[in-house]
Amino acid sequence: MPLDPGAPRFARQRVLDGFGPSAQERLAAAHVVVVGAGGLGSAVLPAIVGAGVGTITIVDDDTVDVSNLHRQTLHRAADVGRLKVESAAEALRALSPDTVIHPVAERFTGRNALDLLLDADLLIDGSDNAPTRYLCNDIAAVRGIPLVWGSAVRYTGQAGVAWDERGVDYRDLFPEAPDAEDLSCELVGVLPPVCTVIGGVMAAEAIKVLTGIGEPLLGRVAIFDARTGGMREVRYEREPGVVRPGSIEERTAERELDGSTSIVSAELAAELASDAPPMLIDVREPHEHSFVALPNSTLIPLRDILAGVDPLDRDANIVLYCHHGVRSGQALASMQTLGFTRVRHLTGGIDAFARAVDPAMPRY
């Protein structure tokens, strides 16, 4: 049965000042992809499952080793040799049987990343290597979703939020990848509670981003030192004029070279109020559409559009939209190849429309 945001298990959370039923509903409707079911994943995953995130995809191709057990507490001695995603999924389903858990026994790579994030609202990086961390950062920017990241090594750990659409990402903090030895627990070790503390911070950031409560660690890094018990903060920002390859700025600039293929929120509002409004197509997932949608829009998820949209009139005046404008851009390209001549998409998605046109519209 679907996860019930009104269930008694969430009662102590719903009564929090500024939280309430609406925040719990956002968690239940959310899909989070977590890369890594190791030390950080062992702290993050039970916390977000316990908090009520409705759908979670776990991506990890590793197996449980006896040397993992001191810090990777999702796994037990009996799990040694099993795929981590299998033992993690089993433990999480025992914690919350109604949560949808998708274990993916693969390495997170450029080949599968886009598909894995197709309908994701948030990416959490609990990996232990620099190439995966930078891939997570870049692919989250391409998908237009936030990334919660963390690292734990030796006696210290750090966590933050990268969100290209909000003007800052992981490369603004670390333009160059550090030496592999600096990140390897196998070579330099890690104190187990560091994973627990940093994983807890990451889970809190995920909940904040998904619900809109509080202030996320955006442009800020929380750094924990287990030897002193201290937590400090480092602030950073994007250097003016920097545009990442594949970033939201670059993609927006490319789209604006041909203004006929995109429409901004104010223009769409005016057209919707006219005597000949465009056909609105929502390319998000059903749970997103049921939470908030533009009036009189038709739901056709991106995956269906990519498979071929035959019932629609190829000469119809169509505007596509999604959450941030990334999926609708993909749908636009696909429909153009199918011969649609008057199709556009909403720059910035329903999130931008809510900010510019209807501030009372629910945000997620």
Side-chain angles (χ1 to χ4, degrees):
M1 62 182 297
L3 191 67
D4 178 11
R9 66 180 297 159
F10 305 121
R12 301 296 183 271
Q13 195 163 287
R14 289 194 301 268
V15 299
L16 285 168
D17 181 36
F19 200 89
S22 61
Q24 197 64 56
E25 289 168 1
R26 291 189 187 100
L27 290 180
H31 175 199
V32 175
V33 175
V34 180
V35 176
L40 293 174
S42 288
V44 169
L45 285 163
I48 62 175
V49 167
V53 173
T55 303
I56 297 174
T57 297
I58 314 169
V59 188
D60 196 319
D61 68 341
D62 200 8
T63 56
V64 180
D65 185 83
V66 67
S67 65
N68 301 148
L69 298 178
H70 81 128
R71 68 192 183 283
Q72 299 183 17
T73 52
L74 266 180
H75 316 295
R76 303 289 181 262
D79 295 322
V80 170
R82 293 182 69 189
L83 287 165
K84 288 182 181 179
V85 292
E86 291 182 354
S87 57
E90 183 178 287
L92 297 172
R93 288 169 180 148
L95 174 63
S96 178
D98 295 333
T99 302
V100 178
I101 307 292
H102 298 300
V104 179
E106 300 176 13
R107 181 176 292 274
F108 191 75
T109 69
R111 292 185 176 182
N112 62 13
L114 286 171
D115 289 338
L116 288 170
L117 296 182
L118 185 61
D119 65 345
D121 302 294
L122 173 70
L123 176 61
I124 298 179
D125 172 30
S127 64
D128 60 359
N129 65 87
T132 302
R133 183 155 299 137
Y134 282 88
L135 172 62
C136 286
N137 175 78
D138 297 345
I139 209 70
V142 169
R143 279 299 189 201
I145 62 174
L147 165 71
V148 173
W149 61 269
S151 66
V153 67
R154 298 187 180 94
Y155 297 98
T156 64
Q158 50 191 307
V161 176
W163 202 340
D164 183 64
E165 291 196 346
R166 300 292 174 89
V168 68
D169 68 8
Y170 189 76
R171 291 183 183 274
D172 296 308
L173 179 64
F174 296 114
E176 301 292 336
D179 292 337
E181 292 186 1
D182 292 339
L183 296 174
S184 172
C185 294
E186 182 179 356
L187 294 175
V188 302
V190 61
L191 192 69
V194 175
C195 297
T196 306
V197 171
I198 296 301
V201 172
M202 292 168 67
E205 292 305 304
I207 292 168
K208 286 158 55 180
V209 169
L210 292 170
T211 61
I213 64 170
E215 181 183 353
L217 281 170
L218 190 64
R220 300 180 294 133
V221 182
I223 302 174
F224 172 66
D225 188 337
R227 289 170 294 190
T228 65
M231 185 80 78
R232 63 189 178 94
E233 180 181 289
V234 172
R235 292 181 176 269
Y236 66 99
E237 60 185 20
R238 177 165 296 174
E239 184 178 346
V242 171
V243 176
R244 303 270 182 253
S247 69
I248 189 63
E249 291 94 342
E250 184 182 68
R251 296 192 307 276
T252 299
E254 289 173 350
R255 287 197 300 265
E256 289 176 350
L257 290 176
D258 181 0
S260 65
T261 63
S262 63
I263 183 171
V264 298
S265 299
E267 292 172 335
L268 177 60
E271 289 194 18
L272 292 175
S274 71
D275 294 334
M279 176 189 299
L280 281 177
I281 296 180
D282 184 345
V283 303
R284 299 173 300 160
E285 292 299 303
H287 70 272
E288 297 175 278
H289 184 81
S290 64
F291 178 69
V292 59
L294 295 182
N296 302 314
S297 60
T298 300
L299 174 65
I300 305 179
L302 175 61
R303 60 177 179 272
D304 295 335
I305 290 178
L306 295 179
V309 183
D310 290 329
L312 297 176
D313 180 358
R314 280 162 170 70
D315 294 321
N317 180 15
I318 296 172
V319 172
L320 309 164
Y321 76 90
C322 62
H323 191 184
H324 292 297
V326 178
R327 281 174 284 178
S328 60
Q330 293 177 295
L332 171 70
S334 177
M335 292 177 71
Q336 285 176 327
T337 63
L338 293 173
F340 287 85
T341 59
R342 300 178 63 201
V343 60
R344 295 168 292 169
H345 82 122
L346 176 61
T347 300
I350 193 172
D351 187 72
F353 190 90
R355 290 198 303 269
V357 178
D358 187 0
M361 182 179 290
R363 303 281 293 281
Y364 72 105

